[in-house]
Amino acid sequence: MQDMNLYTIRAVPFADVRSIRRHTPAFGWQYIIVVLSSGLAFPPLYFYNGGVREFLATVKQHVVLLRSAEHANVFLVNDFQNPLQRTLSSLELPRAVSLSIVPSTPVSGGESASQENGERTDVDVLDGSPSIRQFYRRERQKVHDPARDISMQLLEKFSLVTKFAREATSQLFWETPSNAFSLFERGSSNLSAIDSSQKPRDDVLELPVPVPPDPLELDKLSLAWGKPRQPPLGLEEWATFLDSEGRVVDSKALRKRIFYGGVEHKLRKEVWEILLGYQSYESTYAEKEYQRSNRKTEYEIIKNQWQSISPEQEKRFTKFRERKGLIEKDVVRTDRSISFYGGDGNANLSFLHNVLLTYSFYNFDLGYCQGMSDLLSPILFVMEDESESFWCFVALMERLGPNFNRDQNGMHSQLFALSKLVELLDAPLHNYFKQKDCLNYFICFRWILLQFKRELEYDQTMRLWEVLWTHHLSEHLHLYVCVALLKRYRGKIIGEQMEFDTLLKFINELSGHIDIDVTLRDAEALCLCAGENGSACIPPGTPPSLPREDGFLFNSELDDTVL
């Protein structure tokens, strides 16, 4: 029962709500999508035993609800274009809350069940990212709203997602690329019966949907701007970047070299410590060894804090039990197909568990969130040491920790920046997403949250990460990687007129089918082409932030706690 709270949509003032879209699939439960005035949308809200009509009727007790003239299943909140409604608005009644004006028609008071079942669409199944369930929290009330007191709690009463949604998100988050979206596969036989009006008739020739031209032809752009990838940095070349005492002579040149080729695996342990900020570029061999020794002692002190908790104390320590249980549950299903973590009784799984639980004590405000084990796994694989893995993970989480904050400001700012970059670099594609109610770019949530960990083979993941950590060209190159992938498949997305659910399925099925070298070259070309305009699309403070020059501990503030 405790997990139900993780899927709760927080109270939202109706002043922030633009519309409510109703979906009644042929198979599965009814659901609604709440769209905010900003254009962002909540994840689907499922109704276990019907109740959408009752929900809309309850909403009408507090606001003016209008049916959109363009979409019969879209209901606009407090649209005052109608003269009569303007009159009601002038009375300053609690339900009269001013919002943007959109063409609409009033909702009929005697709406029939047949009308409610008029629209049939595929079941939207959320991508199972750990923070999706909290992603769309309400925005802070910026002005006084006379309707706030009576409407603030209404959405919260209808906000628990049903068992189906919880199971779907959990399963999708932990599916491997080989069997991902089995939920969709099990229901694929039903897709043809979703809506007879959507099936092509035998006597009608189905014409291909024209795809608007790409304003920046990606292949030509990559040839003009992107540089060829190079072989990984090897031992001999690495030595040329160091002085006799082990200091990096030219950090900028080193980062550029790694950006274009990555690092040979046998070098990763030493190089990753520097890229992540655990060791500084200026440290000598002796200073690095001294740092490791001190940090190992500090790690053992923190680790002992949870190891010394007695069974009796644990019974009275609810948050510890919850975090420990979640970590134990996640560890046993993290990268088990990799030999490093495979098999029963694998000691590396114990190391993974120890580092995660120790981190939850080191950063108690943030704690542990599902998905962190994905980010730690390659680090432990490279470091092969608990203490060094811990401190490298600490450094990484100083950059990516905001992705897991309860208020989701970190993810919100990155998805907002992504939307602006797509609008800048491919306006027709951006307009298509707007038309399909995908303007929140929720489809890219897992890409950003886990830095493409679920999309790539293990070695490709490590290569991408070390490229991203160089912060060459941009500290937000991962967003340009997202744009590159969306543009690479724009013809298929638009040509097949993918809706949110099919688009989400398609995006996730790209796992294991991404050419990382081509994608990085595309991303580099897009980043260079966007230039200062691209930088202006990314709000200041958007994760990941650049590390400080004087050490690996960054000055990041957590706005809220998790768990």
Side-chain angles (χ1 to χ4, degrees):
M1 295 298 293
Q2 65 188 26
D3 289 339
M4 294 182 67
N5 293 328
L6 299 177
Y7 293 84
T8 300
I9 300 173
R10 304 302 178 188
V12 178
F14 276 113
D16 292 347
V17 178
R18 181 173 68 192
S19 64
I20 300 171
R21 180 161 187 161
R22 178 184 61 194
H23 295 259
T24 308
F27 301 93
W29 293 305
Q30 298 174 339
Y31 63 96
I32 63 168
I33 294 178
V34 176
V35 180
L36 301 179
S37 302
S38 63
L40 295 177
F42 284 97
L45 176 61
Y46 289 85
F47 288 76
Y48 187 78
N49 288 315
V52 173
R53 276 194 302 164
E54 291 78 2
F55 172 81
L56 295 174
T58 305
V59 170
K60 287 170 61 179
Q61 296 176 15
H62 300 279
V63 295
V64 175
L65 201 62
L66 308 169
R67 187 193 299 274
S68 170
E70 299 177 356
H71 301 283
N73 285 283
V74 173
F75 301 94
L76 306 172
V77 177
N78 288 325
D79 183 288
F80 299 120
Q81 186 178 20
N82 184 286
L84 175 59
Q85 288 149 11
R86 288 200 194 98
T87 303
L88 292 174
S89 176
S90 67
L91 296 177
E92 296 185 358
L93 297 176
R95 73 195 311 174
V97 182
S98 178
L99 281 179
S100 59
I101 297 174
V102 184
S104 57
T105 57
V107 177
S108 171
E111 186 179 24
S112 66
S114 61
Q115 287 174 316
E116 176 164 340
N117 294 326
E119 181 189 20
R120 298 187 182 279
T121 64
D122 294 342
V123 179
D124 274 359
V125 182
L126 296 180
D127 181 4
S129 301
S131 299
I132 285 174
R133 49 222 180 213
Q134 299 162 338
F135 177 63
Y136 296 105
R137 291 185 66 184
R138 67 176 181 87
E139 297 179 0
R140 296 183 183 276
Q141 187 77 356
K142 298 179 177 62
V143 296
H144 176 66
D145 176 11
R148 186 168 184 261
D149 292 340
I150 62 174
S151 65
M152 196 69 166
Q153 302 299 323
L154 181 62
L155 287 179
E156 190 171 36
K157 296 178 181 178
F158 293 88
S159 63
L160 289 182
V161 181
T162 57
K163 180 181 179 182
F164 171 79
R166 291 198 302 275
E167 291 178 349
T169 56
S170 177
Q171 180 164 353
L172 286 178
F173 185 74
W174 287 109
E175 286 286 3
T176 60
S178 61
N179 62 357
F181 284 93
S182 58
L183 290 178
F184 286 102
E185 293 169 359
R186 287 199 297 270
S188 60
S189 60
N190 299 330
L191 295 180
S192 61
I194 285 176
D195 189 349
S196 59
S197 65
Q198 296 178 358
K199 294 191 301 181
R201 291 168 48 191
D202 294 336
D203 59 342
V204 177
L205 177 63
E206 186 175 4
L207 298 176
V209 176
V211 178
D214 187 344
L216 297 173
E217 294 186 41
L218 197 55
D219 290 324
K220 294 181 179 179
L221 186 71
S222 295
L223 288 174
W225 292 86
K227 296 181 181 179
R229 306 297 297 167
Q230 299 176 16
L233 176 68
L235 282 170
E236 292 185 8
E237 188 179 2
W238 164 244
T240 65
F241 286 99
L242 305 176
D243 66 14
S244 59
E245 294 184 317
R247 301 181 188 90
V248 175
V249 178
D250 189 341
S251 61
K252 184 176 181 180
L254 175 62
R255 287 187 286 110
K256 183 177 180 179
R257 174 63 181 88
I258 295 172
F259 177 87
Y260 285 107
V263 180
E264 288 185 358
H265 185 70
K266 54 190 172 186
L267 263 180
R268 278 186 171 136
K269 181 173 183 177
E270 187 173 358
V271 174
W272 278 26
E273 288 180 347
I274 296 174
L275 289 178
L276 285 169
Y278 169 45
Q279 302 282 6
S280 72
Y281 289 95
E282 296 80 15
S283 295
T284 64
Y285 294 126
E287 289 170 340
K288 291 173 184 175
E289 193 58 39
Y290 181 75
Q291 168 89 322
R292 292 188 187 98
S293 177
N294 283 348
R295 290 301 182 185
K296 182 175 180 62
T297 300
E298 188 175 353
Y299 171 73
E300 293 298 333
I301 292 173
I302 303 170
K303 179 180 175 181
N304 187 60
Q305 291 175 2
W306 61 265
Q307 285 185 326
S308 62
I309 294 177
S310 67
E312 289 301 314
Q313 183 184 2
E314 184 173 336
K315 291 179 182 178
R316 297 164 177 82
F317 199 165
T318 302
K319 184 160 289 189
F320 172 71
R321 292 198 313 272
E322 290 175 350
R323 290 180 176 179
K324 181 181 177 183
L326 185 57
I327 289 171
E328 290 173 348
K329 183 178 180 181
D330 287 355
V331 162
V332 296
R333 52 187 182 181
T334 298
D335 293 327
R336 298 306 300 276
S337 61
I338 306 299
S339 60
F340 187 78
Y341 294 108
D344 297 330
N346 191 319
N348 293 319
L349 294 179
S350 298
F351 298 153
L352 196 69
H353 166 273
N354 293 344
V355 172
L356 291 172
L357 199 49
T358 303
Y359 180 78
S360 74
F361 269 69
Y362 173 82
N363 189 348
F364 204 83
D365 287 338
L366 182 59
Y368 175 80
C369 299
Q370 193 178 34
M372 288 183 180
S373 61
D374 274 284
L375 297 178
L376 172 60
S377 171
I379 293 177
L380 180 60
F381 177 79
V382 168
M383 298 297 160
E384 297 184 346
D385 178 86
E386 266 194 46
S387 174
E388 292 179 46
S389 298
F390 172 79
W391 291 113
C392 286
F393 182 67
V394 167
L396 178 63
M397 291 306 296
E398 291 294 336
R399 305 182 190 189
L400 301 181
N403 287 3
F404 298 93
N405 284 352
R406 183 186 293 274
D407 60 15
Q408 286 299 309
N409 278 342
M411 290 299 300
H412 181 280
S413 62
Q414 289 173 89
L415 290 174
F416 174 80
L418 175 60
S419 72
K420 292 302 181 183
L421 287 176
V422 175
E423 186 176 19
L424 173 68
L425 296 166
D426 196 337
L429 180 60
H430 180 79
N431 292 334
Y432 175 81
F433 287 142
K434 182 177 181 180
Q435 173 191 346
K436 298 299 182 180
D437 292 328
C438 297
L439 206 55
N440 50 37
Y441 287 83
F442 181 69
I443 54 175
C444 302
F445 193 100
R446 190 174 75 181
W447 287 359
I448 293 174
L449 183 77
L450 301 182
Q451 302 288 281
F452 300 91
K453 167 66 163 50
R454 294 290 178 87
E455 325 311 319
L456 302 170
E457 299 296 334
Y458 209 68
D459 185 66
Q460 289 184 330
T461 298
M462 293 187 288
R463 185 140 49 96
L464 172 64
W465 284 9
E466 58 203 17
V467 169
L468 296 180
W469 295 343
T470 65
H471 289 168
H472 180 67
L473 298 183
S474 171
E475 61 185 295
H476 300 104
L477 185 71
H478 67 296
L479 298 180
Y480 289 96
V481 172
C482 293
V483 179
L485 288 172
L486 293 175
K487 285 178 69 65
R488 179 62 61 182
Y489 295 99
R490 69 189 304 277
K492 184 175 181 66
I493 291 171
I494 300 176
E496 297 184 9
Q497 289 291 288
M498 294 183 182
E499 302 285 345
F500 174 82
D501 49 359
T502 52
L503 181 56
L504 181 62
K505 178 178 184 290
F506 171 74
I507 290 295
N508 281 273
E509 287 180 337
L510 290 179
S511 293
H513 301 285
I514 296 175
D515 188 323
I516 191 59
D517 288 329
V518 171
T519 302
L520 282 172
R521 190 169 181 177
D522 291 346
E524 177 195 5
L526 291 169
C527 184
L528 291 171
C529 183
E532 293 183 358
N533 291 331
S535 299
C537 292
I538 304 174
T542 298
S545 58
L546 283 167
R548 291 184 347 206
E549 292 294 330
D550 58 347
F552 77 100
L553 291 179
F554 315 110
N555 185 21
S556 68
E557 296 293 334
L558 293 178
D559 295 327
D560 207 341
T561 59
V562 174
L563 291 181

